[in-house]
Amino acid sequence: MTYNLIVTEHADELLDNILNYLIYQLGSGQAARHLLDEIERIYDRLVENPLQFTFSRDTYLAERVYHEAVTEYMNYVIVFSVKANIVNIVGIFHQLENYRKKI
């Protein structure tokens, strides 16, 4: 079964903010490219089988059936929900953020 991936406008804005920080504040276009590559790999996996990722480690979000996919090297987390055959990306955050309040 293939899932439809929907990236919310909010999630796109959060990713843009992260990329701008990496490029313009840290001066690392390479880190930005690496993060985009990792996110693309996760998106591909979500289309194939989003349930391979665990429920959120935040109990409040887990109770609301949100899952998390963590980037392999960059310490970012993609928060999403799954309903029927739709994967809804609601946010991309650094793991140290209190992202419950930002969803």
Side-chain angles (χ1 to χ4, degrees):
M1 173 181 202
T2 302
Y3 291 79
N4 295 318
L5 186 67
I6 296 173
V7 180
T8 64
E9 187 175 321
H10 179 66
D12 268 341
E13 289 174 9
L14 291 168
L15 180 57
D16 284 345
N17 291 339
I18 293 167
L19 295 174
N20 282 331
Y21 175 77
L22 292 173
I23 293 168
Y24 299 111
Q25 298 292 324
L26 297 182
S28 183
Q30 182 179 7
R33 169 62 27 215
H34 185 68
L35 178 60
L36 283 174
D37 289 344
E38 285 196 49
I39 288 173
E40 186 65 32
R41 279 193 293 276
I42 289 172
Y43 283 2
D44 290 344
R45 291 175 63 192
L46 288 171
V47 168
E48 293 299 319
N49 179 14
L51 301 178
Q52 67 184 293
F53 298 100
T54 61
F55 285 107
S56 177
R57 60 191 165 124
D58 181 288
T59 54
Y60 175 84
L61 295 175
E63 289 171 358
R64 281 146 187 81
V65 199
Y66 285 104
H67 295 259
E68 293 181 355
V70 179
T71 60
E72 191 170 345
Y73 300 107
M74 303 272 303
N75 296 319
Y76 287 91
V77 60
I78 299 169
V79 179
F80 64 94
S81 63
V82 180
K83 291 185 182 169
N85 69 331
I86 297 172
V87 176
N88 192 39
I89 307 289
V90 296
I92 301 171
F93 308 96
H94 192 276
Q95 285 184 333
L96 297 177
E97 286 183 75
N98 182 1
Y99 46 87
R100 176 199 312 185
K101 296 180 180 184
K102 297 180 180 182
I103 292 182

